[in-house]
């Protein structure tokens, strides 16, 4: 049995400690906002936050989450997180999503990036590109992603 803090709520799940966080979220808890992409931590579709850090949940075992806080797309965009809300609103404003499959991971990476910035800092295009480089968008909406992240940073300044 694993005791987990996910989106501010306590859960107990009966999964093998080696089970990836992704499958614990999706299969054991029914939280399907986090997506499976490649299964090898290469595409970023499965990005969640573990104690505020963006991680790839497809390769991170649930045992690594013991005593830590997991945040998923569901909590980042429910309106309670000002940074997640700003990113989500910028995503809509810039019409980032095309097929949409990678977007939860993209939003989670962008949110972690902006939370790590000093208050009021406006990241450069190169800084945004570097922060988002681990997330692949098969539809190629990278220019809109960059614009949305920059816009969210301005909103938060």
């Amino acid at each position: 049995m694993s005791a987990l803090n996910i989106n501010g709520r306590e859960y107990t799940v009966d999964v093998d400690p080696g089970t990836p966080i992704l499958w614990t979220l999706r299969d054991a808890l029914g939280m399907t906002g986090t997506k499976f992409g490649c299964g090898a931590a290469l595409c970023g579709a499965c990005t969640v936050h573990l104690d505020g850090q963006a991680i790839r949940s497809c390769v991170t075992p649930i045992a690594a989450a013991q005593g830590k806080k997991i945040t998923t797309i569901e909590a980042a965009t429910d309106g309670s997180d000002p940074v997640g809300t700003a990113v989500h609103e910028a995503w809509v404003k810039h019409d980032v999503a095309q097929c949409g499959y990678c977007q939860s991971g993209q939003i989670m990476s962008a949110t972690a990036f902006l939370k790590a910035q000093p208050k009021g800092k406006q990241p450069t295009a190169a800084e945004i590109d570097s922060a988002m480089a681990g997330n692949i968008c098969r539809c190629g909406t990278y220019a809109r992603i960059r614009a949305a992240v920059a816009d969210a940073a301005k909103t938060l300044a």
Side-chain angles (χ1 to χ4, degrees):
M1 297 295 261
S2 295
L4 304 169
N5 182 307
I6 304 169
N7 300 332
R9 290 187 52 204
E10 298 297 324
Y11 293 88
T12 302
V13 293
D14 187 13
V15 297
D16 182 281
T19 303
I21 291 172
L22 172 67
W23 299 118
T24 302
L25 292 171
R26 291 184 63 82
D27 293 346
L29 297 171
M31 295 179 183
T32 58
T34 305
K35 304 300 182 195
F36 173 77
C38 67
L42 300 172
C43 73
C46 68
T47 303
V48 299
H49 298 170
L50 187 60
D51 277 351
Q53 299 295 311
I55 59 121
R56 304 303 188 242
S57 67
C58 69
V59 296
T60 306
I62 201 66
Q66 296 300 302
K68 298 180 180 177
K69 294 179 180 180
I70 298 170
T71 305
T72 69
I73 189 70
E74 289 88 351
T77 60
D78 70 1
S80 64
D81 177 354
V83 178
T85 298
V87 171
H88 187 235
E89 288 173 356
W91 241 247
V92 173
K93 176 181 173 184
H94 291 274
D95 200 22
V96 173
Q98 193 162 320
C99 83
Y101 199 79
C102 70
Q103 297 308 303
S104 62
Q106 298 274 4
I107 289 170
M108 294 304 288
S109 289
T111 300
F113 169 64
L114 291 177
K115 283 183 176 187
Q117 299 299 301
K119 180 77 173 153
K121 179 176 185 315
Q122 298 302 301
T124 66
E127 290 170 328
I128 294 169
D129 289 348
S130 178
M132 300 303 293
N135 291 78
I136 296 171
C137 175
R138 289 185 267 186
C139 300
T141 64
Y142 298 111
R144 291 185 290 201
I145 290 167
R146 184 184 312 115
V149 174
D151 193 35
K154 286 178 190 157
T155 300
L156 294 164

